[in-house]
Amino acid sequence: MSLPNELQSGETDMILNTIDELRSLGIGNILELPQIIVCGDQSSGKSSVLNAVSTLKFPTKDGLCTRFATEVIMRPGNPEHIAVSIVPGSGRLHDDRRNLEAFRRIIINMDKIEDVINEATETMGINPENPRARRFSNDILRFEVTGPNQPSLTLVDLPGLFQAPNRYQTEEDTESVKELVLRYMRNKRSVILAVISAKSDFVLQSVTKYSRDVDRRGVRTLGIITKPDKLDVGSDSEKEFVELAENRLAFFHRGWHVLVNRDHNTANYTQVQRDDAEKEFLSNGVWARLPPNHKGIFKLRTRLSGLLRDQILEELPDLIREAQDEITRCETGLFKLGVSRATPEDRRRYLIQAAQTYNVTMRSCINGLYEDEFFNGNDKTTDNKKRLRAVVQNTLLQYAVDMHRLGHARHIVDELSANGEGQHPWEVTKEEFEDVVMDLTKQSRGRELMGTYSPLIVRELFVTQSEPWVELTQNHQFKIQEAVKMSINLVLQHATDENTKTQLERLIIKPSLDHFLVLLDEMVSKLLTPRRERHPITYNRNLAESIQKAKQAFAEKVFSEKYDRAINTNGQVVSKETLKWLFEEQIVVPPADLERFAASEAIDVMRAYYKIAKETLIDNFSTLAIEDCLLSQIPDLLTPQVITKLDDEEIGTIAMETETTAWDRSEIEKRLELCASALTKLEKIQGVRLISSTYDTTETEIVGHKRDLMDDTGSSGWQNTVEVSKLDLGISDEENELLSASEDVIRVEKNELSQTSRQKRKLKERWVS
């Protein structure tokens, strides 16, 4: 009697083979690949599950600690054979990797499996009895099993979890095994096969705790109950584990599955005898009420095969996107590293390319053209600093605002606020300021006539009023200089590798930039010099207009005050003589007020000139200083022309490739090649339709067995509907209590089972509703 081949078609083979091929190439160290990992406590029957699924004879000694992951690739085919190899871990050095990759054995005699495992353990350098040797390894022992009765399935068997040490393992091994298992569990694409022994209390087995820690909602865990035949018939323990199998005690969306392991009495059973004994046991007693597709090794093979296939297809879009992103990162890294620089010509060519990239990118930064991928990374803070024109514009706009708000030493108002306090700490009324100016006029009186003021007064008032300009201008100059330095640093990082960047900054960028910063300081100093060392000079017509407006405002104020005194409270119309008197009073300044009048005019002239000088400084600082002395110069700090002027010794100093750079390039090239190959292979299966849902696997599982029924025409054929159980749809015990219907199954259209997991969830919602 031969085992039935439960393959779902060559489609599944193609999907699983593609992922296995990627894993064998080492892409699993770059992308998290979908996989089924077998986890469980020691003595939980984990190895027996693996033996039953694969029909192989893996060691099942109680208390024996496996010290590495074992990958079992099962595929149908002829002739029957097993190929064993070692996949080196990511941390292995080149020589170790080569020795491990050379390990390859072909097994024909199944009794030799344990010997090969021991030989592989020694090859990995693992020796628990030698304190200087490895105790655990990140290497993977791979079994490629081919046979006519093998399912299309790949499993990763992990060391068994344990709490107490023995002669084979120490307390330190406890944490090592736990970390190894959790590392695989944390892979967001791993389907966790949590193996639970019915011989131990469910709550005492640590595998479910760890699976819950990493998969809180239970969406990627399938529970396996082993050794149900060891439970006393009719006992509370038996009842508890049946409820567990029915997904009522610990709910997993993927449900549970029950298996019967070989024991001491059945150790010599053939695979067929073992399977028949299991089928007989699970068909009787309380286990008979479980759905057929949730018990027995036959159904588990099919269930796992479909489960892995569906997991791959569901994760495929994200895998493809991650592969594309990794390819982009590798290409960017290689672009920065450039081609190999073994000769002077190679180095010069590399620097010319880097200089061209710097020049073009920096011009984009300055011109505000942010279309290049350089400006659109994953770090918003850094990306904003790359956009130099935006940073400079915002800084200069803030400079203008600060000059308008904070640029004057005194804030002159007509009168203080009602509470007697000004809105600014330096606020003063014009009348109070006139008193200050009158005192200043007396102290600096020259040959000017009575009632006039010296032009030097305007200069002195302006110098005092514009005192904050120096600090405000220098502060914003510093901010722009720092923004420029940051932008240069980021563009150089984009254009070249770190070592070359450092040398370019030291030998080319910094000397030239320092020179331009000196010129910038000189220009800013020139712009600020007139406010202190020169008499106010301007030919701007706005000066006269501003002075005239100030005089007119003063006249209107005086006229308004005297008009109010001239008109009586009854609103009587005044005579012509009265208006004439009023007009004469308005334009005539009493001799006693001549000095105040002169002080007021001096203040008006100073304020008019201050306004023009402030606007001039803002514009000149932005254009003559920032634009002309700095921004327009920085793209030319590094150009192909600059590189051509360097001799071979200077080129060698800057672009000599370090061993680290050469190693980085080699590793990135390998990574790029792997990701490109992975992307090609993943795209081959992109069009494969997800046949079954995420929560369960295939239509064959749900139906349980085929039924040959008569259709409406009387001919033999399949009905268009099938029965689906509550467990198949992943309905929890809590949800079940909310159901209004008492049926254990509902009838649905077959084509509804051949849809995506999202539509499968709609079936569940339909039942619950």
Side-chain angles (χ1 to χ4, degrees):
M1 179 179 177
S2 62
L3 291 172
N5 188 339
E6 298 177 348
L7 241 189
Q8 288 301 311
S9 75
E11 183 181 79
T12 298
D13 276 350
M14 185 270 287
I15 296 172
L16 301 188
N17 287 339
T18 299
I19 298 299
D20 288 338
E21 187 176 354
L22 291 178
R23 189 174 285 109
S24 66
L25 291 173
I27 197 68
N29 295 325
I30 303 173
L31 305 176
E32 292 185 336
L33 296 174
Q35 58 189 351
I36 295 179
I37 58 173
V38 185
C39 312
D41 293 7
Q42 282 186 5
S43 305
S44 64
K46 185 170 58 67
S47 297
S48 296
V49 172
L50 191 62
N51 290 347
V53 173
S54 64
T55 71
L56 302 181
K57 295 182 179 179
F58 287 97
T60 58
K61 296 178 181 178
D62 288 344
L64 183 61
C65 177
T66 307
R67 298 180 180 273
F68 45 80
T70 303
E71 184 178 7
V72 183
I73 302 171
M74 294 161 273
R75 295 293 183 271
N78 284 302
E80 185 174 10
H81 70 282
I82 304 172
V84 186
S85 59
I86 297 176
V87 180
S90 58
R92 286 290 193 176
L93 299 178
H94 179 70
D95 290 342
D96 290 340
R97 180 179 295 273
R98 185 173 54 189
N99 292 335
L100 292 172
E101 289 174 344
F103 182 91
R104 189 164 183 83
R105 303 290 185 269
I106 302 297
I107 300 177
I108 298 177
N109 186 348
M110 298 299 175
D111 294 332
K112 298 295 183 181
I113 290 179
E114 186 171 349
D115 294 339
V116 172
I117 292 176
N118 291 334
E119 187 180 354
T121 303
E122 184 177 347
T123 303
M124 294 178 191
I126 297 173
N127 186 351
E129 297 179 1
N130 184 352
R132 296 183 179 180
R134 288 172 174 259
R135 301 186 63 82
F136 288 88
S137 175
N138 289 327
D139 306 322
I140 299 172
L141 182 61
R142 169 174 291 165
F143 286 82
E144 299 175 62
V145 185
T146 303
N149 300 317
Q150 290 296 334
S152 289
L153 182 60
T154 300
L155 301 176
V156 180
D157 182 43
L158 299 176
L161 297 161
F162 63 92
Q163 302 297 327
N166 59 25
R167 58 177 296 191
Y168 298 108
Q169 56 212 19
T170 66
E171 291 185 1
E172 294 178 355
D173 294 342
T174 302
E175 286 301 315
S176 299
V177 171
K178 175 184 172 182
E179 287 304 313
L180 178 63
V181 172
L182 286 176
R183 180 161 55 84
Y184 275 85
M185 282 185 170
R186 290 187 185 110
N187 176 356
K188 62 184 179 181
R189 298 191 175 102
S190 289
V191 176
I192 302 170
L193 212 61
V195 181
I196 304 295
S197 171
K199 290 180 65 176
S200 301
D201 288 343
F202 165 71
V203 295
L204 298 180
Q205 301 186 55
S206 56
V207 64
T208 51
K209 174 187 180 301
Y210 296 145
S211 68
R212 283 293 186 188
D213 289 342
V214 299
D215 180 27
R216 294 187 179 278
R217 295 173 53 235
V219 296
R220 57 185 181 91
T221 303
L222 172 64
I224 303 291
I225 299 174
T226 65
K227 307 179 184 179
D229 52 322
K230 305 305 178 184
L231 295 169
D232 293 332
V233 177
S235 65
D236 290 341
S237 295
E238 184 183 54
K239 179 181 177 181
E240 182 181 83
F241 275 97
V242 170
E243 291 178 351
L244 186 65
E246 291 175 334
N247 215 9
R248 304 195 187 284
L249 291 185
F251 177 74
F252 294 141
H253 280 285
R254 299 182 186 275
W256 289 80
H257 203 97
V258 182
L259 295 178
V260 177
N261 297 69
R262 283 188 175 96
D263 57 17
H264 180 73
N265 296 326
T266 61
N268 295 323
Y269 275 17
T270 66
Q271 186 68 35
V272 174
Q273 289 174 320
R274 176 244 171 251
D275 295 345
D276 288 343
E278 177 186 64
K279 184 177 181 181
E280 174 67 21
F281 176 82
L282 295 176
S283 300
N284 295 287
V286 292
W287 306 103
R289 77 191 199 198
L290 295 178
N293 52 306
H294 286 263
K295 58 186 178 183
I297 195 61
F298 286 154
K299 294 302 180 181
L300 181 61
R301 292 193 188 105
T302 304
R303 194 175 184 186
L304 293 180
S305 180
L307 191 63
L308 180 56
R309 178 200 59 224
D310 294 349
Q311 180 75 353
I312 293 169
L313 291 176
E314 189 156 301
E315 295 289 341
L316 188 60
D318 283 344
L319 272 173
I320 290 176
R321 188 188 68 254
E322 288 181 14
Q324 292 169 337
D325 291 345
E326 189 62 33
I327 288 173
T328 300
R329 282 191 289 269
C330 289
E331 290 174 342
T332 302
L334 286 177
F335 180 79
K336 288 172 59 178
L337 292 175
V339 297
S340 176
R341 291 168 262 163
T343 66
E345 291 76 14
D346 291 339
R347 296 169 199 141
R348 187 176 295 274
R349 187 163 44 250
Y350 168 73
L351 284 183
I352 289 175
Q353 176 186 333
Q356 180 67 21
T357 301
Y358 168 86
N359 186 264
V360 171
T361 307
M362 185 55 73
R363 290 191 184 280
S364 296
C365 293
I366 293 172
N367 294 330
L369 303 175
Y370 308 130
E371 297 176 355
D372 190 85
E373 63 179 4
F374 166 74
F375 299 100
N376 301 301
N378 297 321
D379 189 336
K380 186 176 180 180
T381 302
T382 303
D383 289 344
N384 290 339
K385 293 178 181 178
K386 294 176 181 177
R387 305 185 177 204
L388 181 58
R389 173 54 62 185
V391 175
V392 171
Q393 291 289 89
N394 291 331
T395 304
L396 290 176
L397 287 171
Q398 186 61 47
Y399 171 64
V401 170
D402 290 346
M403 286 288 286
H404 288 304
R405 287 195 319 108
L406 309 172
H408 42 280
R410 289 184 176 90
H411 187 65
I412 304 172
V413 296
D414 290 333
E415 58 183 19
L416 295 176
S417 56
N419 58 11
E421 296 181 0
Q423 297 181 357
H424 302 275
W426 56 87
E427 191 169 274
V428 61
T429 64
K430 187 176 180 182
E431 186 174 354
E432 292 173 339
F433 194 34
E434 288 171 355
D435 293 337
V436 174
V437 175
M438 289 167 61
D439 291 341
L440 185 63
T441 301
K442 293 176 182 178
Q443 296 171 9
S444 58
R445 188 179 300 279
R447 297 180 179 181
E448 62 271 12
L449 297 176
M450 182 180 65
T452 63
Y453 61 89
S454 170
L456 297 178
I457 291 294
V458 175
R459 174 181 178 276
E460 191 168 348
L461 292 176
F462 170 71
V463 169
T464 303
Q465 185 72 343
S466 61
E467 188 66 38
W469 288 7
V470 176
E471 183 177 357
L472 286 174
T473 303
Q474 290 175 346
N475 286 344
H476 287 83
Q477 175 191 347
F478 176 78
K479 291 178 182 179
I480 291 175
Q481 288 178 186
E482 292 304 303
V484 167
K485 292 177 182 178
M486 174 59 71
S487 183
I488 291 174
N489 181 66
L490 293 172
V491 173
L492 284 175
Q493 285 181 358
H494 172 66
T496 185
D497 64 273
E498 188 63 31
N499 183 66
T500 304
K501 168 182 166 294
T502 301
Q503 297 301 326
L504 284 171
E505 287 176 330
R506 184 175 67 88
L507 298 177
I508 296 179
I509 300 293
K510 189 177 185 304
S512 299
L513 181 60
D514 288 345
H515 171 68
F516 291 128
L517 292 179
V518 170
L519 296 180
L520 176 63
D521 286 338
E522 292 176 354
M523 176 56 69
V524 172
S525 178
K526 287 180 181 178
L527 297 177
L528 292 172
T529 294
R531 60 162 292 277
R532 177 171 292 277
E533 298 182 4
R534 295 180 189 169
H535 187 75
I537 298 176
T538 182
Y539 301 99
N540 193 318
R541 293 176 60 89
N542 289 332
L543 179 68
E545 294 176 1
S546 297
I547 294 174
Q548 183 61 34
K549 287 180 180 179
K551 288 183 177 181
Q552 184 175 349
F554 176 76
E556 290 176 353
K557 179 182 178 183
V558 173
F559 182 85
S560 176
E561 291 173 352
K562 292 186 177 182
Y563 179 81
D564 290 339
R565 292 201 302 268
I567 302 300
N568 60 31
T569 57
N570 297 324
Q572 178 182 348
V573 178
V574 299
S575 65
K576 182 178 180 180
E577 290 74 16
T578 303
L579 289 176
K580 181 181 177 182
W581 169 82
L582 181 62
F583 179 73
E584 291 174 348
E585 283 287 308
Q586 185 245 333
I587 61 175
V588 176
V589 179
D593 291 338
L594 286 177
E595 289 187 1
R596 182 172 294 279
F597 179 76
S600 177
E601 282 200 325
I603 293 172
D604 291 341
V605 172
M606 181 274 292
R607 294 176 74 180
Y609 178 76
Y610 172 89
K611 181 178 179 181
I612 292 173
K614 178 183 65 178
E615 299 296 342
T616 301
L617 176 61
I618 292 173
D619 288 343
N620 287 343
F621 174 71
S622 302
T623 56
L624 300 180
I626 299 302
E627 295 291 338
D628 293 352
C629 293
L630 185 59
L631 294 186
S632 63
Q633 306 297 332
I634 59 176
D636 295 329
L637 291 175
L638 183 62
T639 64
Q641 291 74 19
V642 171
I643 299 302
T644 56
K645 295 178 183 178
L646 302 176
D647 57 37
D648 287 347
E649 183 177 353
E650 291 172 315
I651 291 289
T653 300
I654 296 172
M656 180 70 73
E657 189 169 68
T658 64
E659 291 184 5
T660 301
T661 302
W663 171 261
D664 288 344
R665 179 185 295 103
S666 175
E667 290 300 303
I668 293 176
E669 286 174 346
K670 292 177 184 177
R671 197 178 185 92
L672 177 60
E673 184 179 357
L674 281 174
C675 291
S677 175
L679 183 60
T680 300
K681 296 179 188 300
L682 291 171
E683 287 176 341
K684 285 183 180 180
I685 60 176
Q686 189 175 22
V688 176
R689 184 168 56 91
L690 184 59
I691 297 176
S692 58
S693 77
T694 303
Y695 297 150
D696 220 318
T697 54
T698 65
E699 179 182 322
T700 303
E701 280 189 52
I702 295 174
V703 176
H705 59 278
K706 298 180 179 179
R707 294 183 238 183
D708 192 8
L709 300 173
M710 299 294 290
D711 59 20
D712 293 337
T713 62
S715 60
S716 178
W718 283 94
Q719 283 190 329
N720 290 325
T721 61
V722 294
E723 292 181 349
V724 183
S725 74
K726 295 176 181 179
L727 294 182
D728 289 318
L729 290 181
I731 295 178
S732 68
D733 192 42
E734 293 78 4
E735 291 169 330
N736 183 59
E737 293 179 358
L738 299 176
L739 297 180
S740 58
S742 59
E743 293 85 354
D744 290 329
V745 297
I746 61 170
R747 204 162 259 291
V748 299
E749 294 290 330
K750 283 184 182 179
N751 58 11
E752 289 187 273
L753 298 179
S754 301
Q755 304 298 323
T756 64
S757 58
R758 182 178 300 176
Q759 289 169 304
K760 183 68 173 292
R761 284 193 288 271
K762 289 182 178 179
L763 279 177
K764 174 180 173 180
E765 292 167 1
R766 192 179 83 190
W767 190 340
V768 174
S769 63

